[in-house]
């Protein structure tokens, strides 16, 4: 429990009245002293086992319950340390002659244990520690036991408290400033005529060193290069002298002590105000990432513009933000025309809403899509585009842009179709060849059971031209080729849509008829073919005509078999039977 100092003394312990009415701690209403009196009482711990000294100090302090200084005493250093751990004190008054510790060690122990509490030392004889030595050991102030009065005691205690608070605030400010400088992203270097004196971690990293000792005393220009400013060293010296502040950022490069690639930087040199002696401050800003980003941006822009593939940059809503020159070449649209448009304007009719909805889901799940689609150019012409769409996301994973790269593969597709057509068609007549016929026959046999009753039969007609060899021998192969083309055209005209007529080889043709109710329809179509092929053929501009006939053999599925090769074989046999029976146009196996 706090007991106001002087409360256990009588009239002989009254405090001397000093100054104006009310003494040292009292002042007229409304003055600065009165406002200061509203502050909490100063809590003092006196550490001494000298009872006379304790009584003397009590007489010097204001007495009464409203005293502005409240004192407790402790006769040993160990007890003082224990009490300071559990009770708050504003100031400690320490007698250097204690039973358990004497002199400087007691100061050092207290200040090391409680650096935030101000310490005032009481010195006495010449054998005790001098006041200056006490302050060097950590005390805020000192008082001579035989040379103090109440005013000096109170003023010293309050000054010690205020100075300790100021020192603490200054220390915190310095720590904050140091923390700020050490954590700045920019490098900070201090230098003078003797070289560099300080560098923060950012500057050390730019110079490729790990400690200040590696660069201390070395010239700034050993680590800073500016090719466009050959007088940099002279300018930096003028900054130190305060003659020429270099207060605008300039680009250069920071050289590494270990020989690694220099870092691009911006730097500014200014005089250090209120510095002892001539000193300059250098601010270094690492712009390597920005330079690298600028380089990549220029490279990406060059690639974007020079690419032979069309490119579109879309926003998160699928609207066009940028297109390249190849896009304009392929589509006919200029950048000014399409920026801001919904990218679906390129889709041809078959790429409807369902397609783009599906594309959106795929991009959301996988982040990219590759495929081919029909695109519509400005002229209305449709071309085949091979397309890649990729999603660009931000650090939150949100889609911010879409990159679309495409090429016109129309000619490639046409070449592929032509090659495929050649692989499956006769080059002379354009009819399906033996390979494609076999594929269609096999598929038709497999699908036959799905057809409704009464339309589940199919017929294979094997057709051989009569007297074709005589035409070739008499008029030449060009005339023979003309006859084959003419007969192919007549056969196509005579058949139904969906029927297949193929050139089997030489002057042989095969006709596949599907969805037949029975043999009668096959026979009827065979007679129709025969009549068409029996008409004269005009060979050339001179009006030479030749007459040919045809022998037709018929095999029905499933009656005569349900395998492709078996049906072909039996239709071929029926054709030879037809040749032997010239009186009828066809023969049914």
């Amino acid at each position: 429990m706090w007991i106001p100092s002087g409360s256990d003394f009588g009239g002989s312990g009254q405090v001397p009245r000093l100054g104006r009415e009310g003494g040292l701690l009292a002042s007229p209403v409304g003055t600065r002293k009165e406002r200061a009196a509203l502050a909490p009482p100063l809590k003092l711990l006196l550490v001494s086992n000298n009872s006379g000294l304790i009584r003397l100090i009590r007489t010097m302090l204001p007495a009464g319950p409203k005293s502005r200084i409240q004192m407790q005493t402790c006769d040993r250093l160990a007890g003082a340390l224990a009490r300071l751990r559990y009770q708050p004190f504003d100031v400690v008054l320490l007698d250097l002659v204690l039973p358990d510790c004497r002199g400087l060690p007691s100061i050092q122990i207290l200040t090391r244990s409680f650096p935030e509490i101000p310490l005032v030392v009481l010195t006495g004889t010449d054998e005790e520690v001098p006041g200056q030595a006490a302050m060097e050991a950590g005390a805020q102030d000192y008082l001579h036991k035989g040379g103090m009065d109440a005013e000096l005691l109170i003023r010293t205690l309050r000054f010690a408290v205020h100075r300790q608070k100021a020192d603490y605030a200054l220390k915190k400010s310095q720590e904050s400033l140091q923390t700020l400088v050490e954590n700045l992203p920019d490098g900070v270097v201090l230098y003078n005529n003797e070289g560099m004196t300080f560098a923060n971690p950012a500057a050390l990293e730019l110079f490729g060193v790990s400690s200040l000792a590696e660069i201390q005393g070395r010239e700034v220009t050993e680590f800073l290069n500016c090719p466009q400013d050959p007088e940099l060293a002279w300018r930096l010296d003028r900054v130190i002298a305060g003659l020429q502040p270099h207060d605008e950022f300039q680009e250069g490069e920071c050289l590494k002590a270990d020989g690694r690639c220099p870092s691009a930087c911006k730097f500014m040199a200014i005089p250090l105000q209120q510095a002892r002696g001539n000193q300059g401050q250098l601010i270094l800003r690492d712009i390597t990432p920005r330079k690298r980003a600028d380089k990549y941006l220029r490279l990406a822009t060059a690639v974007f513009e020079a690419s032979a593939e069309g490119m579109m940059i879309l926003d998160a809503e699928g609207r066009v933000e940028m297109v390249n020159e190849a896009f304009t070449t392929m589509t006919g649209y200029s950048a000014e025309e399409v920026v801001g448009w919904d990218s679906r304007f390129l889709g041809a009719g078959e790429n409807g809403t369902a397609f783009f909805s599906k594309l959106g889901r795929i991009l959301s799940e996988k982040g990219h899509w590759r495929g081919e689609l029909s695109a519509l150019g400005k002229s209305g012409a449709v071309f085949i585009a091979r397309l890649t769409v990729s999603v660009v996301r931000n650090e939150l994973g949100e889609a911010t842009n879409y990159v679309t790269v495409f090429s016109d593969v129309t000619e490639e597709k046409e070449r592929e179709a032509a090659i495929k057509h050649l692989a499956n068609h006769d080059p002379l007549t354009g009819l399906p060849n033996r390979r494609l016929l076999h594929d269609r026959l096999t598929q038709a046999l497999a699908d036959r059971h799905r057809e409704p009753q009464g339309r589940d039969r199919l017929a294979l007609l094997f057709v051989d031209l009569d007297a074709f060899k005589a035409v070739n021998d008499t008029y030449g192969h060009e005339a023979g080729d003309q006859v084959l083309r003419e007969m192919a055209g007549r056969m196509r005209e005579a058949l139904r849509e969906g029927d297949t007529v193929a050139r089997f080889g030489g002057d042989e043709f095969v006709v596949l008829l599907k969805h037949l109710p029975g043999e009668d329809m096959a026979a009827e179509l065979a007679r129709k073919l025969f009549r068409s092929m029996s008409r004269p053929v005009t060979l050339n501009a001179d009006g030479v005509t030749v007459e040919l006939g045809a022998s037709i053999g018929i095999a029905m599925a499933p009656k005569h078999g349900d395998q492709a090769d078996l049906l072909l074989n039996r239709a071929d046999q029926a054709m030879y039977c037809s040749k032997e029976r010239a009186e009828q146009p066809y023969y049914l196996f």
Side-chain angles (χ1 to χ4, degrees):
M1 177 177 179
W2 283 99
I3 301 173
S5 60
S7 60
D8 56 343
F9 290 87
S12 61
Q14 292 180 355
V15 180
R17 301 183 67 81
L18 302 172
R20 294 181 304 210
E21 293 184 27
L24 182 69
L25 301 179
S27 59
V29 176
T31 66
R32 178 174 57 82
K33 290 185 178 181
E34 181 188 40
R35 292 192 298 272
L38 298 177
L42 191 71
K43 295 178 181 180
L44 166 67
L45 176 62
L46 172 61
V47 186
S48 176
N49 71 331
N50 187 330
S51 57
L53 180 62
I54 294 173
R55 284 195 300 272
L56 175 64
I57 290 175
R58 285 192 186 277
T59 62
M60 292 182 181
L61 297 177
K66 296 184 179 181
S67 171
R68 304 308 301 162
I69 298 180
Q70 298 177 348
M71 184 178 77
Q72 289 192 44
T73 62
C74 191
D75 60 1
R76 282 175 170 76
L77 182 63
L81 293 171
R83 192 172 298 184
L84 287 168
R85 288 189 183 94
Y86 302 108
Q87 289 184 250
F89 288 92
D90 297 310
V91 61
V92 175
L93 189 59
L94 175 66
D95 187 356
L96 292 179
V97 182
L98 295 172
D100 55 349
C101 192
R102 297 174 65 90
L104 286 178
S106 58
I107 299 174
Q108 294 166 347
I109 291 171
L110 268 172
T111 55
R112 190 164 52 246
S113 301
F114 301 97
E116 73 282 2
I117 300 178
L119 175 64
V120 177
V121 173
L122 294 168
T123 63
T125 64
D126 294 339
E127 290 77 19
E128 295 180 10
V129 177
Q132 186 61 35
M135 293 184 67
E136 291 174 356
Q140 276 287 351
D141 212 337
Y142 66 93
L143 291 166
H144 289 288
K145 295 177 183 175
M148 62 178 178
D149 56 22
E151 182 178 2
L152 179 61
L153 172 64
I154 294 172
R155 186 172 66 245
T156 300
L157 292 175
R158 291 202 177 277
F159 179 73
V161 172
H162 292 320
R163 189 165 66 180
Q164 179 75 2
K165 289 181 179 179
D167 288 348
Y168 181 76
L170 178 60
K171 181 181 178 182
K172 296 300 290 183
S173 176
Q174 290 173 336
E175 289 175 352
S176 298
L177 181 60
Q178 183 175 0
T179 301
L180 174 65
V181 172
E182 289 181 350
N183 288 279
L184 280 174
D186 290 343
V188 177
V189 175
L190 303 183
Y191 68 100
N192 57 26
N193 293 323
E194 303 299 322
M196 289 182 282
T197 60
F198 170 82
N200 71 344
L204 295 178
E205 183 176 354
L206 282 170
F207 294 158
V209 298
S210 57
S211 66
L212 177 61
E214 297 178 64
I215 63 168
Q216 203 161 23
R218 297 174 67 175
E219 293 295 332
V220 172
T221 49
E222 290 184 46
F223 297 90
L224 184 62
N225 183 36
C226 186
Q228 66 270 26
D229 187 1
E231 297 182 338
L232 177 62
W234 177 74
R235 295 182 191 280
L236 292 176
D237 289 341
R238 289 177 63 82
V239 169
I240 296 176
L243 299 176
Q244 186 177 1
H246 199 81
D247 54 2
E248 292 185 358
F249 273 108
Q250 179 176 346
E251 290 196 4
E253 56 184 15
C254 290
L255 307 178
K256 306 288 187 183
D258 54 9
R260 286 180 296 155
C261 183
S263 298
C265 70
K266 294 176 69 174
F267 65 92
M268 177 173 62
I270 54 177
L272 188 61
Q273 301 296 327
Q274 301 178 349
R276 294 180 180 178
N278 294 335
Q279 193 161 216
Q281 177 178 337
L282 191 67
I283 308 298
L284 301 166
R285 180 166 299 164
D286 188 0
I287 59 173
T288 305
R290 194 203 76 192
K291 287 284 187 180
R292 188 180 298 117
D294 289 347
K295 178 182 176 181
Y296 289 160
L297 181 59
R298 289 193 300 270
L299 181 61
T301 301
V303 170
F304 181 79
E305 292 298 337
S307 174
E309 297 181 307
M311 299 181 72
M312 287 193 299
I313 308 298
L314 314 177
D315 65 14
E317 304 301 323
R319 293 184 293 265
V320 178
E321 287 189 346
M322 296 173 61
V323 297
N324 68 349
E325 187 64 30
F327 171 93
T328 300
T329 302
M330 291 184 199
T331 67
Y333 290 104
S334 66
E336 292 76 11
E337 289 178 292
V338 300
V339 168
W341 284 12
D342 189 310
S343 58
R344 288 178 290 186
F345 75 91
L346 277 178
E350 63 265 31
N351 304 313
T353 303
F355 169 80
F356 286 105
S357 297
K358 181 181 179 182
L359 176 59
R361 289 193 299 271
I362 293 173
L363 290 174
S364 178
E365 295 170 3
K366 298 184 178 181
H368 62 87
W369 178 84
R370 294 182 180 88
E372 296 177 356
L373 55 77
S374 298
L376 187 64
K378 183 177 180 180
S379 66
V382 176
F383 63 95
I384 307 300
R386 182 171 293 146
L387 192 70
T388 299
V389 185
S390 302
V391 182
V392 179
R393 300 186 184 278
N394 60 17
E395 60 276 6
L396 300 177
E398 301 167 334
T400 58
N401 293 94
Y402 298 90
V403 178
T404 302
V405 181
F406 67 93
S407 55
D408 184 351
V409 294
T410 306
E411 291 184 1
E412 178 185 331
K413 288 296 179 180
E414 289 174 350
R415 286 194 300 271
E416 290 177 358
I419 292 171
K420 185 177 180 181
H421 187 271
L422 287 173
N424 293 286
H425 291 78
D426 172 47
L428 177 63
T429 63
L431 295 177
N433 59 14
R434 183 187 301 225
R435 175 182 174 182
L436 183 54
L437 170 69
H438 196 279
D439 289 344
R440 290 186 180 180
L441 176 57
T442 302
Q443 188 63 48
L445 290 169
D447 295 342
R448 189 186 58 79
H449 67 280
R450 298 190 184 96
E451 299 297 335
Q453 188 73 23
R455 289 179 54 83
D456 57 348
R457 294 173 177 83
L458 59 85
L460 206 60
L461 280 62
F462 207 107
V463 181
D464 181 77
L465 295 180
D466 296 333
F468 177 74
K469 185 176 182 304
V471 173
N472 255 346
D473 294 342
T474 304
Y475 300 104
H477 291 290
E478 289 187 7
D481 290 346
Q482 183 181 351
V483 168
L484 290 175
R485 287 194 292 267
E486 178 67 23
M487 291 301 178
R490 292 181 183 184
M491 293 175 75
R492 276 195 295 256
E493 291 175 359
L495 296 175
R496 304 169 303 168
E497 185 177 355
D499 292 337
T500 296
V501 55
R503 185 182 178 196
F504 203 67
D507 60 351
E508 295 177 334
F509 298 86
V510 176
V511 177
L512 172 61
L513 305 174
K514 298 186 293 183
H515 314 304
L516 299 178
E519 299 173 359
D520 292 344
M521 181 172 286
E524 181 183 342
L525 288 171
R527 288 191 293 268
K528 185 177 180 181
L529 277 176
F530 182 82
R531 290 192 299 268
S532 177
M533 298 174 73
S534 298
R535 299 198 312 267
V537 177
T538 301
L539 293 182
N540 49 46
D542 296 335
V544 176
T545 61
V546 293
E547 293 185 4
L548 296 87
S551 298
I552 303 173
I554 303 174
M556 301 290 299
K559 180 178 180 180
H560 301 133
D562 57 3
Q563 297 296 320
D565 291 335
L566 179 61
L567 280 175
L568 280 167
N569 183 266
R570 290 184 171 175
D572 187 30
Q573 293 177 33
M575 182 270 296
Y576 280 103
C577 292
S578 175
K579 279 185 177 293
E580 295 172 359
R581 296 168 175 80
E583 69 278 0
Q584 60 183 46
Y586 66 89
Y587 183 85
L588 182 63
F589 182 84

